[in-house]
């Protein structure tokens, strides 16, 4: 698969989001493991998880444990796979998830994530969502300390606005390597953040790049042009959406979620999908 960069890592231009495998309504464990294996078979070397991807009965870290188990059981070398995880949210049923940006909490959460993932150092650790009760600089400062302590290698931030990206950059310098925000044909509000990431050389990781778990299958119904272009090039509307996102900047690395092998196998094909300038213009109109 074509590669893009996150800090010092070269990763597949399409990643795999692990959330659907662990939240309520998920598939069985064997199907989830098979989904991760299918992603690896397709060339995916970026897997995105979080300690908050779980249910009220499983406790923090269900998805991290699942991803670690899937990698261990793959039967081939997975040393080039970057598992990016996140901290700063606690699962709550029925929701919303509880934010916790306290430095002491993030320090403990990162160390617990490393244990669940079975690594000494987490390659990419992301602050999941700003906590309005804690100054942003304090939360980011905790991640800076975790880098210095060798618990994490690179830092990412998620659900961040332009000002927060600049603030985090000022604290972390080159240790800040990525921003993960919602972005898709249905959610274009993070275009300014994407453009800032391109300017700063930060990877931009769209979460829910197909519109979300409940809407991904209806993408062509909601945005007809993606179905039209898909028919022109012999690809699914979902592949077209991911290819369009990849075309926006070299720093974009979509992380579509998946809960069954067919989904990530289809998404991975977007990395090699060539769209004409005219088609891209129609998609972006």
């Amino acid at each position: 698969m074509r590669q893009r960069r996150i800090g010092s890592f070269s990763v597949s231009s399409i990643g795999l989001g692990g959330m659907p495998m662990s939240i309520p309504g998920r598939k069985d464990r064997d199907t989830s493991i098979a989904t991760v294996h299918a992603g690896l078979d397709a060339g995916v070397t970026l897997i995105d998880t979080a300690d908050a991807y779980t249910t009220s009965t499983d406790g923090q870290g269900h998805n991290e444990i699942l991803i670690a188990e899937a990698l261990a059981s793959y039967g081939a070398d997975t040393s080039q796979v970057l598992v990016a995880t996140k901290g700063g949210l606690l699962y709550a049923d029925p929701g919303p998830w509880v934010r916790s940006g306290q430095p002491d909490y993030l320090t403990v959460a990162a160390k617990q994530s490393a244990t669940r993932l079975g690594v000494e150092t987490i390659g990419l650790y992301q602050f999941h969502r700003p906590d309005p009760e804690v100054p942003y600089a304090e939360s980011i400062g905790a991640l800076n300390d975790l880098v210095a302590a060798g618990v994490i290698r690179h830092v990412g931030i998620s659900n961040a606005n332009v000002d927060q990206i600049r603030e985090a950059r000022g604290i972390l310098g080159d240790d800040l390597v990525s921003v993960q925000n919602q972005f898709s044909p249905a959610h274009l509000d993070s275009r300014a953040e994407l453009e800032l990431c391109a300017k700063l050389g930060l990877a931009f990781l769209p979460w829910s790049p197909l519109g979300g778990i409940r809407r991904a299958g209806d993408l062509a119904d909601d945005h007809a042009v993606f179905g039209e272009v898909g028919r022109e090039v012999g690809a699914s509307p979902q592949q077209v959406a991911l290819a369009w996102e990849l075309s926006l900047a070299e720093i974009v690395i979509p992380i579509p979620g998946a809960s069954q092998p067919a989904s990530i196998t289809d998404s991975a094909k977007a990395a090699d999908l060539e769209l004409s300038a005219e088609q891209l213009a129609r998609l972006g109109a």
Side-chain angles (χ1 to χ4, degrees):
M1 188 186 291
R2 294 179 181 178
Q3 303 288 291
R4 293 194 168 180
R5 300 216 53 96
I6 301 179
S8 63
F9 294 99
S10 177
V11 300
S12 56
S13 56
I14 298 292
L16 168 61
M19 185 177 76
M21 304 178 212
S22 290
I23 60 175
R26 67 196 184 206
K27 304 289 185 183
D28 62 87
R29 193 171 190 83
D30 288 346
T31 300
S32 295
I33 297 291
T35 300
V36 177
H37 290 177
L40 298 172
D41 289 343
V44 170
T45 59
L46 170 64
I47 300 176
D48 181 78
T49 181
D51 61 1
Y53 296 161
T54 185
T55 68
S56 56
T57 56
D58 291 310
Q60 292 285 107
H62 179 275
N63 196 246
E64 293 174 322
I65 295 169
L66 177 69
I67 297 302
E69 180 182 332
L71 291 174
S73 63
Y74 182 55
D77 181 24
T78 59
S79 61
Q80 300 304 307
V81 176
L82 173 61
V83 178
T85 192
K86 298 183 285 295
L89 284 185
L90 295 102
Y91 181 82
D93 188 12
W97 291 337
V98 177
R99 306 185 194 195
S100 182
Q102 292 287 348
D104 289 347
Y105 172 78
L106 292 172
T107 299
V108 172
K111 293 176 179 178
Q112 291 176 338
S113 288
T115 298
R116 286 189 288 262
L117 292 172
V119 298
E120 292 186 5
T121 302
I122 298 172
L124 175 61
Y125 191 74
Q126 304 158 98
F127 183 35
H128 207 148
R129 189 177 288 273
D131 182 348
E133 301 300 320
V134 180
Y136 198 63
E138 292 184 12
S139 300
I140 300 303
L143 303 188
N144 195 33
D145 292 341
L146 286 164
V147 173
V151 178
I152 61 180
R153 182 170 179 181
H154 291 313
V155 178
I157 54 178
S158 185
N159 302 295
N161 61 34
V162 165
D163 290 339
Q164 289 163 339
I165 295 171
R166 293 191 183 279
E167 185 175 7
R169 176 79 164 188
I171 296 168
L172 294 162
D174 290 340
D175 289 327
L176 177 67
V177 299
S178 66
V179 174
Q180 183 180 147
N181 279 11
Q182 186 174 24
F183 187 86
S184 71
H187 299 277
L188 301 173
D189 292 346
S190 284
R191 192 63 178 261
E193 287 76 18
L194 187 161
E195 292 172 354
L196 178 59
C197 285
K199 180 179 179 180
L200 297 176
L202 304 175
F204 183 83
L205 315 179
W207 62 263
S208 289
L210 302 176
I213 295 173
R214 294 176 178 82
R215 300 304 304 171
D218 299 323
L219 192 148
D221 294 332
D222 296 336
H223 309 277
V225 65
F226 289 87
E228 294 167 4
V229 172
R231 288 188 290 274
E232 293 168 9
V233 298
S236 69
Q238 291 76 19
Q239 289 173 27
V240 172
L242 296 172
W244 168 70
E245 290 168 22
L246 287 171
S247 77
L248 296 176
E250 283 296 317
I251 49 89
V252 176
I253 307 172
I255 45 173
S259 61
Q260 51 190 354
S263 297
I264 187 56
T265 299
D266 183 78
S267 292
K269 295 176 182 178
D272 296 317
L273 182 59
E274 298 286 349
L275 300 176
S276 70
E278 184 273 335
Q279 289 169 331
L280 290 172
R282 284 159 54 200
L283 294 169

